[in-house]
Amino acid sequence: MTESSDDVSRIHKRYTLTTFTPTSHYVSLAISIAVACVIVAVSYINYFKSPGQLMYAIPIAIGVLVVTQLLDPKILKTEYSKSIHMSAFGTLLWLVTILCGILSSYVFSKPELLPVYITEGMFLFASFRIAIFTSVLGAKLKTAWIVCLLQPLAVFLAFVPTNMWVPMLSDPKAIEYGIVFCVLGSIWTLLSDRIAGSGKLSSTHAFLQAYLAAWTNDDPVPMESLMEKRSEPSKVSTFQILFKTTNQDCRLVIPDLHPGPFHPIGGSNIPYLIYKNLDSSAMVMHSISDHALNLPSKSQVDLYITSLQKNLKIQQGSKSTKPVTIQVNKARTTGLLFDKTAVLILSLSPHGMEDIPYYIKSDLEQYGKNRGYERVLIVDSHNAMGKEIEKLDADDLLNAAKSTLDTLITKETLPLEVGYANSENLNFQADDLGPGKVAIMCFKIGDEKFFLAWADANNMLNGLREEIASHFSKIGYNFLEICTSDTHYKARTAKNKHGYFEFGSLSKAPDVTSWFTDLAKKAEQTTSPTSYELLESETNVKVMGGNQLELYSKSLDNAMRITQAFLLITTGFFIYTMF
């Protein structure tokens, strides 16, 4: 079950290559202008030997550069910022070519080759534009060839003396180098787009463009369209434990869905949407699930949310056992028993892990039936960052959970009181939290009170859970666990290998413990006798399935391997031209 999580991580890893782009197009604009100035200055000092003309050549070159930066997005129907970023990288390639040419001319004592490198740099800039036009901007290859020379050639004509135009542009070596660079860029485009998908994905570039539109422009439509076409129908169950009190109703919700795949696609913000749909008085837990159970589009999300109003009441009562916590090596399980329904919360914190393997769920459900339980509801607390769970740790979780079930069934059931508080009225901002922020539930069972915390977050910083638990212990509160919703909502773009900010990476631990302490006191004050209802709803929706994300991940991996090969070939040919 964790393979799809790895696939999403690999897709994000490929995306991080784009984080080399400056965060602001103003920075790229400044870079492109500065580099253009250097290109002109170096050319006039080392190539044309007439530095006195710089005062005329530089302003003209900059003017032409800026005008062509405005023309590109109009011709290609793309954002101005992309044109500027592309211009910055392209002029850098041109400058590197010129500087390497100067070095080569001095090393091999061939000053007559100097003009070739200005023209070669122009063509290298053009070939770079072909690659970006077709892969990132979605232009057809014919269009890319027509437009690729627009900016490089215009800048070339702007600063190169008119008497040098014909000899420099008709130089056989320059033309040969230019054709080779542009052909290499074109072949890369065809191979990385068609071959990388191994025949199963019609266009790798179309996926890349949809991904970037969603990730950078918050436009989910192209990506959702791709994903929904490949999604498969499935029946999804959702369990709710509705606590009905005189003060406020509240719920524990365990959906058989996984948030994701990433903001703002499909069900990436599904925990908050459930939370709001249930009157902002719910704690939406992470079930044992992975990205195979993502909802691919807004239409499927709407269908699922609507279904939550149609529930079947399958159990009711007013008593529960006191919680049981069992630790086996790194693994920890906390359990509560409501009549014949057990709720188990699994964690490896502070050691961390990825999504819990699915076999643990099936094993525990069968084990529970063998012990006389009607059902076992399992929560992945998702409260510490880690890699794919190792078999030894997974087995420890399974053993701890089985021991918890064995102990729970021997416990006395006692009258239950519940209190709930959320952060709706707390005035704080945290970009490592989803819009549901944080909440806490107080269970008074017999003569003791226990606190279960929740954060609408994508996992947690390792050790934060322990700091919260330690603080609660110091103030005399029984802390059960903190669970995250594993939301894939993002308040702002995270340029890191995860693609998100885990809870505690931006929020400070003292602030976090303060938030939960305040909520615990409010929940304690609202505690009152309760009855509960166990509700179940089933919905027929489309889910992404594991193969879809694997296909995207492998296609991008293949495209990256093709790209690396062509970079080596292009670099090798570039070095050859220096000789």
Side-chain angles (χ1 to χ4, degrees), residues 42-191:
V42 170
S43 298
Y44 270 82
I45 294 170
N46 292 276
Y47 287 64
F48 307 135
K49 308 297 183 181
S50 53
Q53 299 298 313
L54 284 176
M55 61 183 298
Y56 305 107
I58 287 178
I60 295 173
I62 292 173
V64 170
L65 176 70
V66 171
V67 169
T68 53
Q69 287 171 342
L70 293 170
L71 285 176
D72 269 347
K74 293 184 181 299
I75 295 172
L76 296 166
K77 309 298 182 186
T78 189
E79 297 93 344
Y80 175 66
S81 60
K82 289 182 179 178
S83 170
I84 300 301
H85 293 321
M86 181 171 53
S87 183
F89 281 105
T91 52
L92 281 168
L93 282 174
W94 197 348
L95 176 60
V96 168
T97 305
I98 292 172
L99 294 177
C100 288
I102 293 173
L103 179 62
S104 174
S105 296
Y106 282 127
V107 170
F108 297 107
S109 301
K110 293 184 177 181
E112 70 278 4
L113 293 178
L114 282 174
V116 172
Y117 299 119
I118 296 179
T119 314
E120 179 184 348
M122 178 191 70
F123 280 115
L124 187 57
F125 186 179
S127 68
F128 169 75
R129 283 163 62 86
I130 290 174
I132 297 300
F133 286 166
T134 53
S135 62
V136 175
L137 304 185
K140 294 185 181 300
L141 187 56
K142 290 181 181 178
T143 305
W145 267 84
I146 293 170
V147 184
C148 70
L149 271 171
L150 172 64
Q151 188 173 109
L153 182 59
V155 175
F156 176 93
L157 296 176
F159 79 86
V160 172
T162 53
N163 64 312
M164 297 289 290
W165 287 359
V166 173
M168 289 180 66
L169 291 175
S170 60
D171 185 287
K173 285 186 180 295
I175 294 174
E176 174 192 327
Y177 297 161
I179 290 174
V180 170
F181 282 130
C182 290
V183 168
L184 283 173
S186 301
I187 295 174
W188 171 85
T189 287
L190 295 172
L191 292 180

Side-chain angles (χ1 to χ4, degrees), residues 224-225 228 265-267 295-306 539-542:
E224 289 188 347
S225 177
E228 188 162 3
I265 302 299
L295 295 177
S297 66
K298 184 178 183 298
S299 61
Q300 296 302 311
V301 170
D302 291 342
L303 180 63
Y304 171 77
I305 292 295
T306 302
T539 317
N540 291 311
V541 290
K542 285 185 175 181

Side-chain angles (χ1 to χ4, degrees), residues 21 44 55 75 119 121 187 254 262 325 350 406 488 499 504 569 576:
T21 301
Y44 270 82
M55 61 183 298
I75 295 172
T119 314
I187 295 174
I254 307 173
F262 56 86
T325 298
D406 290 340
H488 283 51
I569 293 170
Y576 163 77

Side-chain angles (χ1 to χ4, degrees), residues 1-14 207 211 261-262 290-292 354 388 545-557:
M1 284 282 285
T2 56
E3 287 182 4
S4 57
S5 296
D6 292 340
D7 292 329
V8 172
S9 297
R10 283 196 291 270
I11 292 171
H12 279 307
K13 183 179 179 181
R14 298 308 179 199
F207 166 71
Y211 182 87
F262 56 86
D290 70 359
H291 284 277
E354 255 300 340
E388 180 179 348
N547 293 335
Q548 183 171 174
L549 288 167
E550 181 183 9
L551 171 62
Y552 298 144
S553 173
K554 286 184 176 179
S555 296
L556 287 183
D557 287 346

